Amino acid sequence: ALTFVAIDLGAMINFSPLIQLFYPEAGAACVQDKCQTSPGGDCARSAWNFAYGLGLVTNTNLPTTPTPAFAQLPNGDCILATNRNSKIQLVRTDTQGKVVWVRQIDELSASGVISPLVAALPNGHFVVGAKSTDLLLLDGDGRVLRNLHLSLPSTATLDRLIATKNGDLVGATTDFSGADILVTLFRMDTNGQLRWAISWIALSSVGVECMQELKNGDLMIVEGSGETSIFRLSGNGQLVWAKRQGISDFHAIYAIAETQTEEIVLGGSLAKNNVATPRLTKLNKSGDLVWSKTYGATGVFTSLMPMADGGFLATKSQSTATGHGPIFKVDPSGSSAWEYF
């Protein structure tokens, strides 16, 4: 078992050449799909799957409870946040995978199995959260600048957090205190001023699984597992369209990618007879189905990365039997061009 994930990752994986091999224009230390804390869906898991698939690491253990979170800074460096002994530990690594600094954040309580969240801002700062009432703004050296103090119910848990291109924060919370599970989506600036918040009754206990800002500033939100709702919202929180999937078959979505032509690809699984099959679904800008396909016998797609040719790479969760984390190259029509095991 890894004693400290951040240092072990930095020491064992040189991320940059690995990603450059598949996505030369990325120039990044990790694959980021915005599903920061879903099981196997965060940047750390994606990078680990790529590295394991290529034989660069042999240890398949990446702790998932609490789930570590990654965010990529504008210069390509990565910030890793972990919950270690109920304290948030931060590690910054450069594009060669070398550790720049390590910090422990005493200002945040993370008792139990609370998973941290981290979002990188365009100015090189980043935000770390571990519960619903506190979000800390830090500079690139890991120094705390201010506490943003979320004005949300104390019974809510912060499940997802992303930064927008203009430097705002979008977060999703789940509140289990009432008869119904309540999901709240909010947008705030880095001074702690709430721009808007919307709430709805959750489809399932998982709340928001994925969310991502699109090129035009709209937000894609995936909520629920099994019976799944997919929302497209404008940047000011107005509903553009909503779709529902998985009513007849269990349908989980863990990853979102936007293509060069602004179509939306969703990665996850389709389950029949208690067997999960990797599934990709492509929607046009209006949310209409373009195609939906399954790949292989079992597993779940946990991350997607768009490619310059209009296709994308999809990584599948590791098999508990073999430890493999296959990589699929899929063309724009959904056909699998190749697989790497």
Side-chain angles (χ1 to χ4, degrees):
L2 299 178
T3 56
F4 190 25
V5 179
I7 293 177
D8 285 346
L9 278 173
M12 297 180 69
I13 305 174
N14 186 337
F15 291 105
S16 186
L18 176 63
I19 304 308
Q20 291 280 341
L21 175 64
F22 292 105
Y23 192 30
E25 55 267 58
C30 60
V31 180
Q32 186 166 4
D33 60 22
K34 302 299 191 297
C35 295
Q36 292 180 315
T37 60
S38 61
D42 62 343
C43 180
R45 173 70 70 185
S46 302
W48 198 266
N49 276 352
F50 272 92
Y52 184 88
L54 294 176
L56 298 183
V57 296
T58 57
N59 184 352
T60 60
N61 290 327
L62 179 64
T64 57
T65 306
T67 309
F70 262 77
Q72 181 186 335
L73 296 174
N75 72 341
D77 285 7
C78 267
I79 300 292
L80 167 66
T82 65
N83 179 347
R84 187 185 186 204
N85 299 325
S86 297
K87 292 291 185 180
I88 300 300
Q89 306 283 342
L90 299 176
V91 175
R92 178 170 178 166
T93 57
D94 65 17
T95 55
Q96 300 301 312
K98 297 178 181 179
V99 174
V100 178
W101 50 252
V102 179
R103 301 277 189 272
Q104 177 173 294
I105 306 301
D106 295 321
E107 292 88 343
L108 283 178
S109 172
S111 59
V113 294
I114 294 175
S115 296
L117 296 168
V118 59
L121 299 168
N123 63 358
H125 295 170
F126 62 97
V127 174
V128 176
K131 58 180 182 178
S132 63
T133 57
D134 291 314
L135 282 177
L136 295 183
L137 176 68
L138 298 91
D139 66 16
D141 292 322
R143 294 185 292 256
V144 176
L145 300 177
R146 68 177 69 96
N147 190 326
L148 302 183
H149 295 295
L150 289 179
S151 299
L152 295 170
S154 60
T155 53
T157 60
L158 183 63
D159 302 316
R160 301 287 179 260
L161 182 70
I162 63 172
T164 64
K165 291 186 288 290
N166 76 337
D168 281 353
L169 298 166
V170 177
T173 68
T174 307
D175 190 343
F176 296 89
S177 62
D180 295 309
I181 301 171
L182 193 67
V183 173
T184 298
L185 188 74
F186 65 89
R187 182 167 185 156
M188 65 188 302
D189 65 22
T190 52
N191 291 315
Q193 296 299 310
L194 190 66
R195 296 194 187 279
W196 52 259
I198 54 176
S199 299
W200 65 90
I201 296 175
L203 291 173
S204 69
S205 60
V206 301
V208 172
E209 281 281 14
C210 295
M211 59 184 186
Q212 181 168 323
E213 185 185 30
L214 303 179
K215 296 174 183 176
N216 71 344
D218 285 359
L219 300 167
M220 282 294 300
I221 311 295
V222 175
E223 187 261 318
S225 183
E227 188 177 351
T228 303
S229 285
I230 305 164
F231 303 93
R232 181 167 184 158
L233 305 176
S234 66
N236 61 9
Q238 299 299 308
L239 181 66
V240 178
W241 51 256
K243 305 289 181 179
R244 182 166 291 184
Q245 300 190 27
I247 295 176
S248 59
D249 298 304
F250 185 91
H251 188 159
I253 298 172
Y254 297 112
I256 303 170
E258 186 177 14
T259 69
Q260 300 289 330
T261 55
E262 298 185 5
E263 293 174 307
I264 306 299
V265 179
L266 306 170
S269 66
L270 175 70
K272 290 185 177 181
N273 301 321
N274 295 319
V275 176
T277 302
R279 182 178 187 175
L280 295 175
T281 298
K282 190 173 192 178
L283 308 176
N284 64 19
K285 289 186 289 186
S286 300
D288 300 319
L289 181 67
V290 178
W291 50 256
S292 186
K293 299 183 180 183
T294 56
Y295 304 79
T298 59
V300 178
F301 281 129
T302 57
S303 73
L304 297 170
M305 184 168 63
M307 304 292 287
D309 64 0
F312 41 88
L313 295 178
T315 57
K316 195 171 78 170
S317 59
Q318 296 173 164
S319 165
T320 55
T322 65
H324 291 163
I327 303 165
F328 289 75
K329 171 61 169 68
V330 181
D331 67 22
S333 68
S335 299
S336 179
W338 50 259
E339 302 173 24
Y340 191 98
F341 289 84

